[in-house]
Amino acid sequence: MREFIRPYWPLVVWSSLLMFILTALLLPMPFLTAALIDKAVPEKDVKMVVIIFLLFVIVHLARNLISFGLQYIINFLGQRVVFHLRRRLHEKLQELQLAFYDTRLPGKIMARVVNDVNVVQNMVTGGFITMFTDVVMLILVVGIMVSIRWELAVISLVTLPFYALNYNFFVNKIRIISKKIRDNVAEIYGLLEERVSAIRIVKSFARENYEINQFSEKITEHRELNIENSVLNTILGAIAGVISGVGTGFVLWYGGRLIISGSLSVGRLIAFYSFIGYLYGPIVRLTQINTTVQWVMVSVDRIFEIMDEPVTIKDSDNAVELREIIGQVSFRRVSFKYKFGDRVILKNINLEVMPGTIVGIVGPSGSGKSTILSLIPRFYEITEGAIFIDEYNLRDVKIASLRQKIGFVPQESMLFSGSIKSNIKYGREDARDEEVIEAARAAEIHDFISTLPDKYDTEIGERGVTVSGGQRQRLAIARALLTNPQVLVLDDCTSSLDAETESRLQETLDKLMKGRTCFIVSHRISSVMKADMIIVMKDGMIAEKGVHKSLLKSGGLYARLYEEQYKSAELVQI
């Protein structure tokens, strides 16, 4: 956290100074009370009473003015610190490799960026003031109490070890509960994000009651954890209150004896009694603020779990800018496995793709088809071997320049809330309107856009919910084409479409692929039949390679897949 606060150290110094002054201004109050009782009243000194009154008013006005300035500085400081923390956290999320996201629900990541950072903000803008003021108050008050009457000060301070024992007994329990609560909140975020995204599945299987019960279990757990946390903190605060009460009782007992003996005035005992409040009050608050501190520490730990996550896919020190390419792609003895699993996904892949070649990749589910495509833009780091583009090793080129040369259309094309134009321009913000229209024409979506009331400025809704599947895919293709990629990667992008829409989109793709190096993964043989080279994957290896006719004649896996699909199609027609 220090790196986020360090740029604002002048504000920290100013706020600390104001806190010190604010705290110091409380200290004259008991002495003014003592003077009123011991001198002004017995001597019937009206002038002294007026002076004491004016001093009370002046001190209170000064404290309120300083408090206003302090709150402004602290809130400004807190907002700036949290702004930079949240921005850096988001930057780190952008830097992290896809493997990081493969094992985490989006909702849990959202909880770190929103909830956990909010907890830190509350601590910086609120708890920090309380803790600092109370610590300063304790130091000053102890010195003053000793100067008034050291015996009473000793009696007051005897209770401090009991506070420490009380705090140490509960602190670990509270921290464990706090961590459970934060994890539970992240699970609730994750569950909500996942289930809301899949609401059509939920409704199609009539699982609404099941989801209600699932969510109820999570929030019930959240309720029980918060009750347990509240009980622990209440007990901690209650015991601290009892300790302060007993300590105050002994002070009044001994102080009363001193007054009777004539060695202490009533006013000075009342002043000392006021300082006891300044002593025990901060101690009780510091024990109670433990809840916030533990909550913050858990949140900070969770935030820095992401901040400290190593970035495994990044530019090397000598990485070069990839400029114009012709589109030759080479896989040389490439093997790959995910870091979170032991199974090897790709084994010893050797593949030479010349510029302008259309490569179709088919095979059973789990054979490694989509993984090959994910390695070309370097979404994942290969385990062994090397991948080259125009004789540049992918590890030796800047990642951003590599991905700008590759048009990637995933199986489920994601559109963002905003206009159609902003979605098409997502990969190239500086594109002119004419270029956007040209890309839309190439993807054969321009005519549809022209029928909309606001044309390219039409808002399409979050995740593109206001357009059909085929239109969404065409917009995604237009987005990819706007960057004028020499390498086009299509990851089963027609699988979720009906046969008629797929057929029309396939005609569009056939036009767009000419002159480009293209990789097409598909479960449907019909999508790759015209490819210049067909790769048949099985168990992470290239089982067959060739063109449609030769692969059919060989009678291998490709022929069996072809026969199964076309028999299924014939049965559907019957």
Side-chain angles (χ1 to χ4, degrees):
M1 285 297 296
R2 282 180 293 180
E3 67 176 285
F4 297 100
I5 297 177
R6 192 179 296 118
Y8 305 103
W9 67 266
L11 289 178
V12 174
V13 172
W14 270 107
S15 60
S16 301
L17 179 61
L18 290 175
M19 286 179 195
F20 181 82
I21 296 172
L22 192 66
T23 303
L25 283 174
L26 276 174
L27 303 181
M29 298 301 190
F31 289 113
L32 292 174
T33 304
L36 180 69
I37 294 172
D38 290 343
K39 290 186 177 181
V41 173
E43 297 174 7
K44 298 180 180 180
D45 189 339
V46 176
K47 185 178 178 181
M48 182 178 287
V49 172
V50 172
I51 292 172
I52 291 172
F53 164 74
L54 291 174
L55 288 174
F56 261 100
V57 173
I58 290 169
V59 169
H60 277 288
L61 284 174
R63 290 195 78 251
N64 278 281
L65 287 172
I66 293 171
S67 179
F68 173 79
L70 177 61
Q71 288 292 340
Y72 180 84
I73 292 174
I74 287 294
N75 278 295
F76 180 83
L77 174 64
Q79 292 296 336
R80 297 301 295 176
V81 168
V82 168
F83 168 79
H84 286 293
L85 177 59
R86 187 169 278 142
R87 185 176 69 176
R88 183 66 193 95
L89 185 57
H90 184 260
E91 287 173 359
K92 184 59 181 280
L93 289 171
Q94 300 302 312
E95 294 168 5
L96 287 170
Q97 52 283 346
L98 285 183
F100 171 83
Y101 296 93
D102 290 338
T103 56
R104 292 165 176 85
L105 287 172
K108 290 189 175 183
I109 297 173
M110 288 163 54
R112 308 286 175 95
V113 179
V114 180
N115 268 32
D116 288 330
V117 174
N118 280 341
V119 170
V120 174
Q121 177 181 350
N122 292 335
M123 184 61 182
V124 172
T125 57
F128 175 66
I129 299 175
T130 302
M131 283 195 301
F132 187 91
T133 304
D134 285 342
V135 170
V136 172
M137 177 72 78
L138 285 174
I139 295 170
L140 295 175
V141 165
V142 168
I144 293 172
M145 291 173 73
V146 170
S147 69
I148 294 176
R149 195 79 187 195
W150 69 268
E151 304 101 310
L152 295 178
V154 169
I155 294 173
S156 303
L157 295 174
V158 163
T159 60
L160 294 183
F162 295 99
Y163 277 110
L165 290 172
N166 181 42
Y167 178 84
N168 287 331
F169 181 80
F170 286 99
V171 65
N172 288 329
K173 294 181 175 63
I174 292 172
R175 183 159 192 170
I176 291 170
I177 293 295
S178 296
K179 186 177 187 310
K180 288 181 179 179
I181 292 172
R182 301 305 304 150
D183 290 341
N184 176 258
V185 168
E187 288 172 5
I188 290 173
Y189 265 87
L191 182 67
L192 276 173
E193 194 278 336
E194 186 178 57
R195 295 311 200 266
V196 170
S197 298
I199 191 64
R200 286 177 175 81
I201 302 296
V202 173
K203 290 189 173 296
S204 67
F205 286 94
R207 298 287 280 173
E208 292 90 342
N209 288 333
Y210 170 79
E211 294 302 335
I212 290 170
N213 291 333
Q214 288 284 97
F215 188 73
S216 294
E217 287 180 12
K218 287 294 179 187
I219 59 175
T220 299
E221 182 184 353
H222 184 70
R223 181 194 66 196
E224 296 302 322
L225 287 171
N226 274 287
I227 289 173
E228 185 176 355
N229 185 57
S230 178
V231 167
L232 286 173
N233 279 282
T234 300
I235 294 173
L236 172 62
I239 294 175
V242 169
I243 293 170
S244 65
V246 172
T248 303
F250 274 108
V251 166
L252 292 176
W253 167 73
Y254 191 76
R257 293 187 60 184
L258 291 175
I259 291 173
I260 293 171
S261 67
S263 57
L264 184 69
S265 69
V266 174
R268 290 181 71 79
L269 178 60
I270 291 174
F272 193 93
Y273 179 77
S274 298
F275 282 114
I276 288 177
Y278 293 164
L279 175 70
Y280 290 151
I283 291 174
V284 172
R285 283 195 299 273
L286 285 171
T287 57
Q288 291 173 337
I289 206 172
N290 171 67
T291 309
T292 307
V293 172
Q294 296 306 318
W295 193 267
V296 169
M297 292 307 297
V298 171
S299 293
V300 168
D301 288 344
R302 285 161 50 83
I303 289 169
F304 279 89
E305 278 179 16
I306 294 179
M307 301 288 271
D308 297 335
E309 182 77 21
V311 179
T312 58
I313 299 180
K314 56 186 176 181
D315 292 336
S316 63
D317 294 336
N318 301 316
V320 298
E321 193 82 20
L322 189 63
R323 301 193 182 279
E324 297 302 320
I325 63 171
I326 60 174
Q328 181 177 347
V329 180
S330 305
F331 285 71
R332 301 179 186 175
R333 303 187 66 179
V334 171
S335 295
F336 172 78
K337 69 175 181 179
Y338 292 103
K339 288 190 175 181
F340 52 82
D342 296 325
R343 187 170 73 89
V344 178
I345 307 299
L346 296 177
K347 307 169 189 175
N348 197 32
I349 301 296
N350 288 287
L351 185 63
E352 193 73 30
V353 179
M354 301 308 292
T357 302
I358 298 174
V359 180
I361 306 175
V362 296
S365 296
S367 59
K369 305 184 298 296
S370 292
T371 303
I372 286 181
L373 297 194
S374 296
L375 297 181
I376 298 172
R378 205 179 165 198
F379 290 154
Y380 298 92
E381 201 73 277
I382 59 177
T383 309
E384 294 178 11
I387 302 175
F388 290 81
I389 186 164
D390 285 11
E391 294 305 317
Y392 286 98
N393 190 322
L394 297 193
R395 289 195 177 101
D396 297 331
V397 301
K398 292 184 178 179
I399 296 171
S401 68
L402 167 68
R403 292 173 183 170
Q404 286 167 359
K405 300 295 184 293
I406 298 171
F408 189 86
V409 183
Q411 182 175 353
E412 294 184 9
S413 294
M414 173 67 72
L415 299 180
F416 302 100
S417 56
S419 68
I420 288 175
K421 184 193 296 183
S422 67
N423 270 276
I424 296 176
K425 290 176 65 174
Y426 187 76
R428 210 185 121 203
E429 286 292 319
D430 61 345
R432 301 189 311 274
D433 288 351
E434 296 80 8
E435 293 174 303
V436 172
I437 293 172
E438 183 181 346
R441 286 186 189 278
E444 298 190 10
I445 191 68
H446 172 73
D447 290 343
F448 165 73
I449 297 172
S450 299
T451 65
L452 300 173
D454 296 320
K455 307 295 190 292
Y456 283 83
D457 293 321
T458 301
E459 297 287 322
I460 60 174
E462 189 175 353
R463 300 170 68 96
V465 295
T466 57
V467 294
S468 69
Q471 291 160 351
R472 200 158 44 236
Q473 292 294 59
R474 288 183 185 276
L475 286 170
I477 291 168
R479 180 169 59 197
L481 290 177
L482 188 60
T483 62
N484 193 27
Q486 192 54 40
V487 177
L488 192 59
V489 176
L490 309 173
D491 187 4
D492 211 4
C493 63
T494 63
S495 63
S496 60
L497 306 178
D498 60 81
E500 184 180 350
T501 305
E502 181 201 9
S503 177
R504 290 200 304 270
L505 188 56
Q506 191 62 52
E507 291 176 6
T508 302
L509 292 173
D510 289 342
K511 298 174 187 175
L512 299 177
M513 289 187 292
K514 289 179 182 177
R516 292 185 168 92
T517 304
C518 299
F519 292 83
I520 312 167
V521 159
S522 181
H523 286 87
R524 297 174 179 173
I525 298 295
S526 58
S527 298
V528 301
M529 287 170 54
K530 298 177 184 178
D532 302 317
M533 180 193 302
I534 299 174
I535 306 297
V536 186
M537 298 295 298
K538 182 181 180 183
D539 298 329
M541 296 183 289
I542 297 177
E544 297 174 322
K545 182 168 63 176
V547 295
H548 176 67
K549 288 184 179 179
S550 64
L551 289 172
L552 280 181
K553 287 181 182 179
S554 68
L557 177 58
Y558 180 84
R560 291 200 299 275
L561 291 171
Y562 177 84
E563 186 177 354
E564 288 172 3
Q565 288 188 18
Y566 276 83
K567 275 188 175 179
S568 298
E570 289 173 5
L571 287 172
V572 169
Q573 290 175 358
I574 293 172

